[in-house]
Short mmCIF file of all heavy atoms in Angstrom, two decimals:
data_model
loop_
_atom_site.label_atom_id
_atom_site.label_comp_id
_atom_site.label_asym_id
_atom_site.label_seq_id
_atom_site.Cartn_x
_atom_site.Cartn_y
_atom_site.Cartn_z
N VAL M 76 -10.74 24.85 -6.74
CA VAL M 76 -10.25 23.46 -6.64
C VAL M 76 -10.02 22.96 -8.00
O VAL M 76 -10.97 22.89 -8.82
CB VAL M 76 -11.23 22.55 -5.91
CG1 VAL M 76 -10.79 21.10 -5.92
CG2 VAL M 76 -11.50 23.06 -4.49
N SER M 77 -8.75 22.65 -8.36
CA SER M 77 -8.43 22.22 -9.70
C SER M 77 -9.04 20.82 -10.01
O SER M 77 -8.95 19.99 -9.18
CB SER M 77 -6.94 22.19 -9.92
OG SER M 77 -6.38 23.45 -9.74
N ILE M 78 -9.59 20.70 -11.18
CA ILE M 78 -10.18 19.47 -11.62
C ILE M 78 -9.34 18.79 -12.70
O ILE M 78 -9.02 17.60 -12.59
CB ILE M 78 -11.59 19.67 -12.17
CG1 ILE M 78 -12.51 20.32 -11.09
CG2 ILE M 78 -12.21 18.39 -12.71
CD1 ILE M 78 -13.84 20.81 -11.61
N GLU M 79 -8.95 19.61 -13.71
CA GLU M 79 -8.08 19.10 -14.80
C GLU M 79 -7.05 20.13 -15.13
O GLU M 79 -7.29 21.35 -14.85
CB GLU M 79 -8.92 18.87 -16.07
CG GLU M 79 -9.99 17.84 -15.97
CD GLU M 79 -10.80 17.79 -17.28
OE1 GLU M 79 -10.20 17.42 -18.31
OE2 GLU M 79 -11.97 18.18 -17.25
N ALA M 80 -5.96 19.74 -15.72
CA ALA M 80 -4.91 20.64 -16.11
C ALA M 80 -4.09 20.05 -17.21
O ALA M 80 -3.88 18.85 -17.28
CB ALA M 80 -4.07 21.02 -14.92
N ALA M 81 -3.56 20.90 -18.13
CA ALA M 81 -2.72 20.48 -19.21
C ALA M 81 -1.92 21.66 -19.73
O ALA M 81 -2.31 22.79 -19.57
CB ALA M 81 -3.57 19.88 -20.36
N GLY M 82 -0.77 21.34 -20.34
CA GLY M 82 0.04 22.38 -20.94
C GLY M 82 1.51 22.25 -20.58
O GLY M 82 1.99 21.21 -20.13
N ASP M 83 2.27 23.39 -20.83
CA ASP M 83 3.64 23.41 -20.45
C ASP M 83 3.94 24.69 -19.72
O ASP M 83 3.02 25.44 -19.31
CB ASP M 83 4.51 23.30 -21.75
CG ASP M 83 4.24 24.36 -22.80
OD1 ASP M 83 3.92 25.51 -22.37
OD2 ASP M 83 4.31 24.10 -23.97
N ASP M 84 5.21 25.00 -19.55
CA ASP M 84 5.56 26.18 -18.71
C ASP M 84 5.13 27.54 -19.33
O ASP M 84 4.98 28.49 -18.60
CB ASP M 84 7.07 26.23 -18.46
CG ASP M 84 7.53 25.18 -17.49
OD1 ASP M 84 6.64 24.70 -16.71
OD2 ASP M 84 8.74 24.88 -17.40
N ASN M 85 4.96 27.55 -20.65
CA ASN M 85 4.54 28.84 -21.30
C ASN M 85 3.10 29.03 -21.57
O ASN M 85 2.62 30.12 -21.78
CB ASN M 85 5.34 29.03 -22.61
CG ASN M 85 6.84 29.14 -22.27
OD1 ASN M 85 7.27 29.74 -21.33
ND2 ASN M 85 7.62 28.44 -23.09
N SER M 86 2.36 27.90 -21.67
CA SER M 86 0.92 27.95 -21.93
C SER M 86 0.27 26.82 -21.21
O SER M 86 0.63 25.64 -21.39
CB SER M 86 0.67 27.82 -23.43
OG SER M 86 -0.72 27.88 -23.71
N PHE M 87 -0.66 27.13 -20.32
CA PHE M 87 -1.24 26.15 -19.41
C PHE M 87 -2.76 26.39 -19.27
O PHE M 87 -3.16 27.55 -19.11
CB PHE M 87 -0.57 26.18 -18.05
CG PHE M 87 -0.65 24.88 -17.35
CD1 PHE M 87 0.18 23.85 -17.67
CD2 PHE M 87 -1.58 24.67 -16.34
CE1 PHE M 87 0.07 22.66 -17.01
CE2 PHE M 87 -1.70 23.50 -15.69
CZ PHE M 87 -0.85 22.48 -16.01
N TRP M 88 -3.48 25.33 -19.23
CA TRP M 88 -4.96 25.36 -19.09
C TRP M 88 -5.34 24.65 -17.82
O TRP M 88 -4.80 23.55 -17.51
CB TRP M 88 -5.58 24.72 -20.29
CG TRP M 88 -7.05 24.40 -20.17
CD1 TRP M 88 -8.04 25.26 -20.36
CD2 TRP M 88 -7.59 23.15 -19.77
NE1 TRP M 88 -9.27 24.61 -20.14
CE2 TRP M 88 -8.98 23.30 -19.80
CE3 TRP M 88 -7.10 21.92 -19.46
CZ2 TRP M 88 -9.87 22.30 -19.48
CZ3 TRP M 88 -7.97 20.91 -19.14
CH2 TRP M 88 -9.36 21.10 -19.15
N VAL M 89 -6.28 25.24 -17.02
CA VAL M 89 -6.73 24.64 -15.81
C VAL M 89 -8.28 24.75 -15.81
O VAL M 89 -8.84 25.80 -16.04
CB VAL M 89 -6.19 25.33 -14.53
CG1 VAL M 89 -6.78 24.75 -13.29
CG2 VAL M 89 -4.70 25.28 -14.48
N ARG M 90 -8.92 23.65 -15.49
CA ARG M 90 -10.39 23.67 -15.19
C ARG M 90 -10.47 23.54 -13.71
O ARG M 90 -9.92 22.69 -13.07
CB ARG M 90 -11.07 22.49 -15.87
CG ARG M 90 -12.56 22.47 -15.44
CD ARG M 90 -13.34 21.52 -16.38
NE ARG M 90 -13.47 22.16 -17.70
CZ ARG M 90 -13.63 21.53 -18.82
NH1 ARG M 90 -13.65 20.21 -18.83
NH2 ARG M 90 -13.73 22.19 -19.94
N ALA M 91 -11.21 24.53 -13.10
CA ALA M 91 -11.31 24.56 -11.63
C ALA M 91 -12.74 24.82 -11.23
O ALA M 91 -13.47 25.57 -11.88
CB ALA M 91 -10.42 25.69 -11.11
#
Side-chain angles (χ1 to χ4, degrees):
V76 175
S77 298
I78 300 170
E79 296 177 67
D83 58 34
D84 286 343
N85 296 319
S86 181
F87 204 79
W88 166 83
V89 176
R90 176 166 287 152

